[in-house]
Amino acid sequence: MNLIVNNVLAIYRKELRGYFKAPLAFVIASVFWLLAGLFFLFILQSVIEEASQFDVLQSQLSESGTAIDVPSAILQLFLGIMGSLALVILPILSMGLYAEERKRGTLELLATSPITNWAVALGKLMAVLTFFITLVVPIITLEALTFSSANPPMPLEILLVSHLGLVLLAASILALGLFISSLTDSVILAAILTFAVILLLWILDLLGERLGGPLGGILNHLSLLKHYSTLSQGVLDSSSVVLFLSYVVLGLFLTAQSIDLFRFQRS
């Protein structure tokens, strides 16, 4: 067991060092932070203006209604944008995980090494997920500083659960992208296929609502958007967590099988 853990950690450290040395990673980080920051400021200003107009309207009508929950409205709108941004960023992060190994001719060495395919896949996934989390941490800090001035303050558990949804969404997409990357030596093709698959999983709830019946119910349950929306509202739904983890395990399993098939074809 210790040997497996050490192998996973060795792959994890090697891959993570690669991210922090790659110019593409810094380009992705810069674009992500710029877009996320701009969207956050835009949503912040829009929601505050809307809440102010609502308060003025209520005072003019001498009515006392429920005030707009500004922090929650900002958080939900912003995480909706972050989910859409993740659909574009994450396939780019996952596209080279195995495709680059195929292209450089090192995949055969990796496939025939004493390290199990599961350990390699898990180490690669942990590294790319860690890199994504480092992108998200400054954004969470910005949100926490902004919401700390709200009255009443936003409960910390809502902020944590909503961002747990973003991390689980990222882990699911990256795991499936890992598998798709193992099928080709073209990073561009891997990114396009991953984006197409994720987009399909993203809108499954729309297809499920149109179909209806048991099949529609199944498609609705498999939708990434449905479960991400639940968690991003701060609702810790165990079925959503289980679904995201299922996609992660499925991605790792398919990746290990793909590398096994590659090794069999070369033997």
Side-chain angles (χ1 to χ4, degrees):
M1 187 64 185
N2 285 340
L3 179 61
I4 295 175
V5 172
N6 289 336
N7 287 338
V8 171
L9 292 178
I11 296 293
Y12 169 75
R13 286 192 288 265
K14 173 181 173 294
E15 293 289 327
L16 194 58
R17 279 197 298 270
Y19 280 108
F20 287 101
K21 290 179 181 176
L24 178 62
F26 285 99
V27 172
I28 293 173
S30 301
V31 172
F32 181 82
W33 285 328
L34 176 64
L35 291 177
L38 290 176
F39 280 126
F40 183 75
L41 293 177
F42 174 75
I43 291 171
L44 179 68
Q45 183 180 12
S46 299
V47 174
I48 289 176
E49 287 180 357
E50 186 178 340
S52 300
Q53 291 172 0
F54 183 75
D55 289 341
V56 170
L57 182 62
Q58 279 194 326
S59 63
Q60 289 176 345
L61 297 175
S62 301
E63 291 181 355
S64 58
T66 305
I68 296 177
D69 186 349
V70 174
S72 295
I74 294 172
L75 185 63
Q76 289 180 28
L77 287 172
F78 181 60
L79 285 177
I81 295 291
M82 290 287 281
S84 301
L85 195 57
L87 292 185
V88 178
I89 296 289
L90 294 173
I92 297 175
L93 288 178
S94 67
M95 65 183 183
L97 289 172
Y98 275 100
E100 285 289 351
E101 302 275 4
R102 275 182 179 267
K103 196 173 181 180
R104 293 197 300 261
T106 55
L107 183 58
E108 190 167 355
L109 294 174
L110 201 60
T112 55
S113 70
I115 305 176
T116 65
N117 296 330
W118 275 89
V120 175
L122 181 58
K124 284 177 174 286
L125 177 62
M126 287 169 54
V128 69
L129 183 60
T130 300
F131 179 74
F132 178 74
I133 291 173
T134 61
L135 299 185
V136 174
V137 167
I139 305 299
I140 298 176
T141 305
L142 175 63
E143 293 172 34
L145 290 174
T146 304
F147 296 149
S148 64
S149 60
N151 186 20
M154 171 176 279
L156 181 61
E157 56 268 26
I158 292 182
L159 199 61
L160 293 177
V161 171
S162 57
H163 288 87
L164 172 66
L166 182 61
V167 172
L168 288 173
L169 173 70
S172 304
I173 295 175
L174 291 170
L176 295 174
L178 187 74
F179 163 61
I180 294 171
S181 177
S182 71
L183 300 175
T184 176
D185 59 1
S186 169
V187 292
I188 302 299
L189 182 60
I192 293 173
L193 289 176
T194 301
F195 178 75
V197 170
I198 299 308
L199 187 60
L200 177 63
L201 293 175
W202 190 254
I203 61 172
L204 274 183
D205 60 329
L206 298 177
L207 296 175
E209 288 175 5
R210 283 186 175 274
L211 288 174
L215 179 59
I218 293 172
L219 293 179
N220 189 277
H221 181 70
L222 294 176
S223 166
L224 291 176
L225 176 59
K226 173 179 177 290
H227 294 281
Y228 176 63
S229 298
T230 301
L231 292 174
S232 65
Q233 293 174 21
V235 179
L236 185 56
D237 186 340
S238 58
S239 66
S240 299
V241 175
V242 169
L243 181 93
F244 282 126
L245 293 179
S246 299
Y247 276 122
V248 172
V249 173
L250 177 65
L252 290 173
F253 171 77
L254 291 176
T255 302
Q257 299 308 306
S258 171
I259 301 305
D260 267 343
L261 179 62
F262 174 82
R263 180 166 53 186
F264 176 76
Q265 290 172 338
R266 297 302 175 96
S267 62

